[in-house]
Amino acid sequence: HIMRGSFPYHFRWKDYAQLLSAGRQGARCAYLCRDPRDIAVSAWLYRRDVSGKSGGELARAASELKAFGSQTESLRDFMRHGDRYGFAPFAEFAADMKFFYRLPGNYVLKYEQLSADPVNTVRNFLEFLGYPFDIEKIEAVVRSVSRTGQMGRWISVFDDETEALFKELAGDVVSVLGYESNEEWTYR
């Protein structure tokens, strides 16, 4: 069985961990993660720009995010009040990321690794799952897939206030996930 978690229906990793610890012999778990700073920017841009085209509550959220005086002000409001915009509260999201990342026996796929070396990343993942694979088929799939995410975009969007808010809400998630060696990172 494949279980997926995505926004706006944030998956409760702790609930899944309880299922794993309840004795599901041979259960394997994979976690696809991305730099949480890029997740914040990407989710905000999606809610601000794309969601407005869908109508209803998402259009209302997009309109509110566009009404701010600056993009960093809009991003900070999104990070503080993500649940108002159909996203999980960012502090809760960061805590869940850390929890799942630390679960023993899970397989962590990083978006950045998948983007930089998709063939070997997929091959390693399939080996973890114990699935037989054909490397030529993996290469063909990789060639046919479009990847649009921008890594490191947060650097061009964050300012001092946004960085401080992110650190307040997300705590040490960036270093726990291995994106920085400590919490002294800066956008500059």
Side-chain angles (χ1 to χ4, degrees):
H1 290 76
I2 296 176
M3 299 181 78
R4 294 183 179 102
S6 63
F7 293 105
Y9 312 103
H10 187 58
F11 189 75
R12 301 289 164 216
W13 301 120
K14 295 172 182 127
D15 296 340
Y16 186 60
Q18 288 174 347
L19 289 174
L20 285 177
S21 63
R24 299 244 13 207
Q25 293 287 349
R28 299 194 184 243
C29 195
Y31 177 52
L32 176 60
C33 73
R34 183 177 183 191
D35 186 320
R37 298 164 293 193
D38 278 331
I39 290 173
V41 170
S42 180
W44 162 69
L45 287 171
Y46 178 80
R47 287 294 187 256
R48 190 192 71 182
D49 299 338
V50 178
S51 294
K53 299 173 185 170
S54 61
E57 283 298 306
L58 292 178
R60 179 204 49 78
S63 152
E64 285 181 21
L65 288 169
K66 288 178 183 172
F68 282 90
S70 73
Q71 71 174 8
T72 53
E73 203 178 333
S74 174
L75 173 58
R76 287 191 298 274
D77 193 69
F78 178 79
M79 287 169 42
R80 277 188 206 98
H81 309 290
D83 50 336
R84 263 195 343 221
Y85 303 110
F87 199 81
F90 203 78
E92 182 180 321
F93 169 70
D96 283 355
M97 285 183 81
K98 290 190 305 188
F99 176 84
F100 192 75
Y101 186 82
R102 292 175 170 154
L103 271 180
N106 71 343
Y107 188 88
V108 176
L109 285 157
K110 288 192 174 179
Y111 175 82
E112 295 80 6
Q113 291 168 326
L114 191 57
S115 186
D117 188 6
V119 172
N120 284 320
T121 304
V122 171
R123 179 185 53 80
N124 292 338
F125 175 58
L126 292 174
E127 285 175 354
F128 166 78
L129 293 175
Y131 286 136
F133 60 89
D134 177 336
I135 197 72
E136 287 82 24
K137 286 183 181 176
I138 294 173
E139 290 169 346
V141 169
V142 165
R143 280 192 303 272
S144 71
V145 174
S146 167
R147 292 176 297 279
T148 59
Q150 293 181 9
M151 294 173 283
R153 188 172 194 176
W154 65 272
I155 295 168
S156 66
V157 178
F158 275 32
D159 60 9
D160 291 338
E161 215 176 314
T162 307
E163 178 182 311
L165 177 64
F166 181 92
K167 288 178 176 181
E168 173 190 326
L169 295 174
D172 63 351
V173 69
V174 174
S175 60
V176 168
L177 297 177
Y179 289 101
E180 300 288 351
S181 58
N182 59 48
E183 291 309 304
E184 300 304 312
W185 59 268
T186 183
Y187 72 95
R188 287 175 255 133

